[in-house]
Amino acid sequence: MERKNTEGLLRQRLKEKGLKVTHQRILVLSVLEQNGGRHMTAEDIYELVAEDYPEIGLATVYRTLQLLWDMQLVDRINLDDGCVRYEIGHLCGGETKHNHHHLICRECGKVIPFDADLLDDLEHHIEKATGFHVLDHELKFYGLCSECMNKTE
Amino acid sequence: MERKNTEGLLRQRLKEKGLKVTHQRILVLSVLEQNGGRHMTAEDIYELVAEDYPEIGLATVYRTLQLLWDMQLVDRINLDDGCVRYEIGHLCGGETKHNHHHLICRECGKVIPFDADLLDDLEHHIEKATGFHVLDHELKFYGLCSECMNKTE
DNA sequence: ATCTGTGCAAACGTTTTGCATCCTA
DNA sequence: TAGGATGCAAAACGTTTGCACAGAT
């Protein structure tokens, strides 16, 4: 599977918009890239970037994540635990083609990733029916995980 | 379409759990029932209940919504605008059988409801493959609405 | 009479903002 | 060197919690 140069993509898009390439922006994206499978909070990212670049501020991380999201370089997920999470964007050529969804247990709160790719048809249908151009989706299932099911019954 | 007596359902479930039937609980559910199509924040609900029952507190609304959600009498939606929203539960026999999803425009933030019912197969597949018992789902599509598409190009 | 539920206000944790300074272009 | 970007601290925001009192069973 082809893998794009994510940093190069960032540089290019910043240039297009007349924005500046800073260490902080490069580092935030690079941390997300190196943690492909994880769903990271701003705080998580802040701590990891701070290992290499201790003078970074949390506010900068928030501002950068917003920017990267606007540019479609990162994906956003909300697991209903009070903070937004980020991961490297599916457009960046990460191995997860963003067909993974989440099963959230109502009882114990566990989050189980689940892969499926039945949404492409639906996206095409939406585009035809409404003129809305779909870029991304977020699908969550709520219910009871097998352990909690057994405990309850 | 059959329509259940939602208040009766609440009374019954409270009794089952040994919890008390209070005006506040009845009123919160009834406001949600009367605003079937809307996605209401705790604040919205608080203000409407307060018209009939001014002494209610916002904390009670939050506690009640949590309770109603635990009992599966209301659905929760997160439209990424910083607050959780609620609507009358699809189990209560509301006319929306909860096959309506949301298209969120990245440009202007508009939220467009969209009906589709292609998720039942996927839910069955999940139950078989993982043992996770699905009760509910939340599906959001992010992209560009037709107006913003035309503006950009 | 008991014990859950409530209202109020304070606390909480995440995210945003104002402003002086820094640094990329 | 000019204007966007940053770090810091304070503010803002939705939501939760502690506690004394009220009210349902």
Side-chain angles (χ1 to χ4, degrees), chain A:
Chain A
M1 180 179 298
E2 166 112 41
R3 203 154 152 298
K4 281 214 186 138
N5 174 1
T6 313
E7 183 181 325
L9 201 54
L10 171 59
R11 294 189 113 94
Q12 176 190 321
R13 301 225 180 147
L14 286 172
K15 213 150 282 179
E16 282 168 16
K17 290 201 172 196
L19 301 176
K20 292 177 179 168
V21 177
T22 63
H23 295 138
Q24 293 90 333
R25 287 173 177 170
I26 301 282
L27 285 168
V28 166
L29 187 59
S30 125
V31 160
L32 281 162
E33 200 177 13
Q34 286 159 32
N35 290 271
R38 290 176 57 191
H39 306 121
M40 308 181 81
T41 64
E43 187 75 37
D44 293 337
I45 295 161
Y46 169 68
E47 284 168 14
L48 283 177
V49 173
E51 289 180 6
D52 292 331
Y53 195 89
E55 59 268 48
I56 196 169
L58 184 53
T60 300
V61 174
Y62 276 102
R63 284 185 281 230
T64 303
L65 289 169
Q66 179 65 55
L67 180 73
L68 295 177
W69 189 77
D70 288 342
M71 294 178 157
Q72 297 178 45
L73 295 174
V74 301
D75 293 331
R76 242 184 194 162
I77 322 121
N78 193 320
L79 264 20
D80 304 303
D81 64 341
C83 46
V84 177
R85 287 160 187 279
Y86 295 86
E87 63 184 344
I88 190 75
H90 56 294
L91 298 173
C92 291
E95 63 284 350
T96 61
K97 228 216 92 223
H98 207 243
N99 286 322
H100 79 278
H101 314 301
H102 298 97
L103 316 180
I104 303 180
C105 180
R106 282 200 176 193
E107 200 63 31
C108 67
K110 188 168 26 188
V111 177
I112 305 160
F114 181 83
D115 290 332
D117 56 333
L118 300 174
L119 256 42
D120 292 345
D121 293 345
L122 189 48
E123 291 191 3
H124 291 139
H125 176 52
I126 286 172
E127 306 226 8
K128 249 178 220 161
T130 69
F132 186 94
H133 177 62
V134 177
L135 292 169
D136 192 14
H137 56 246
E138 180 184 332
L139 176 53
K140 292 180 285 193
F141 293 92
Y142 296 94
L144 296 171
C145 71
S146 43
E147 285 98 58
C148 289
M149 276 279 276
N150 295 335
K151 244 178 276 173
T152 316
E153 311 301 305

Side-chain angles (χ1 to χ4, degrees), chain B residues 79-93:
Chain B
L79 263 21
D80 303 304
D81 64 342
C83 47
V84 177
R85 287 159 187 279
Y86 294 86
E87 64 185 344
I88 191 74
H90 56 293
L91 299 174
C92 290

Side-chain angles (χ1 to χ4, degrees), chain B:
Chain B
M1 180 179 299
E2 165 112 40
R3 203 153 152 299
K4 281 215 187 136
N5 173 3
T6 313
E7 183 181 323
L9 201 54
L10 172 59
R11 294 189 113 95
Q12 176 192 319
R13 300 224 180 149
L14 288 171
K15 214 149 283 178
E16 281 167 17
K17 290 200 172 196
L19 300 176
K20 291 176 180 170
V21 178
T22 64
H23 295 137
Q24 292 90 334
R25 288 172 178 171
I26 301 284
L27 285 169
V28 166
L29 187 60
S30 124
V31 160
L32 281 163
E33 199 176 14
Q34 285 159 32
N35 289 270
R38 291 176 55 191
H39 306 121
M40 309 181 80
T41 65
E43 188 76 37
D44 293 337
I45 296 161
Y46 169 69
E47 284 168 14
L48 282 176
V49 173
E51 288 180 6
D52 292 331
Y53 195 89
E55 59 269 49
I56 197 169
L58 183 53
T60 300
V61 174
Y62 276 104
R63 284 185 282 231
T64 303
L65 289 169
Q66 180 65 54
L67 180 74
L68 295 175
W69 189 76
D70 287 342
M71 293 179 158
Q72 297 179 44
L73 294 173
V74 300
D75 292 331
R76 240 185 196 162
I77 322 121
N78 193 320
L79 263 21
D80 303 304
D81 64 342
C83 47
V84 177
R85 287 159 187 279
Y86 294 86
E87 64 185 344
I88 191 74
H90 56 293
L91 299 174
C92 290
E95 62 284 351
T96 61
K97 230 216 91 222
H98 208 241
N99 286 322
H100 80 279
H101 314 301
H102 298 97
L103 316 181
I104 304 180
C105 180
R106 282 200 175 192
E107 200 63 31
C108 67
K110 188 168 25 188
V111 177
I112 304 160
F114 181 81
D115 291 333
D117 55 334
L118 300 174
L119 255 42
D120 293 345
D121 294 343
L122 189 48
E123 291 191 3
H124 291 138
H125 177 52
I126 286 172
E127 306 226 8
K128 249 179 222 162
T130 69
F132 186 94
H133 177 61
V134 177
L135 293 168
D136 193 13
H137 56 246
E138 180 184 332
L139 175 54
K140 293 180 286 192
F141 293 92
Y142 296 94
L144 296 170
C145 70
S146 43
E147 285 98 58
C148 289
M149 275 278 276
N150 295 335
K151 244 177 278 173
T152 317
E153 313 299 304

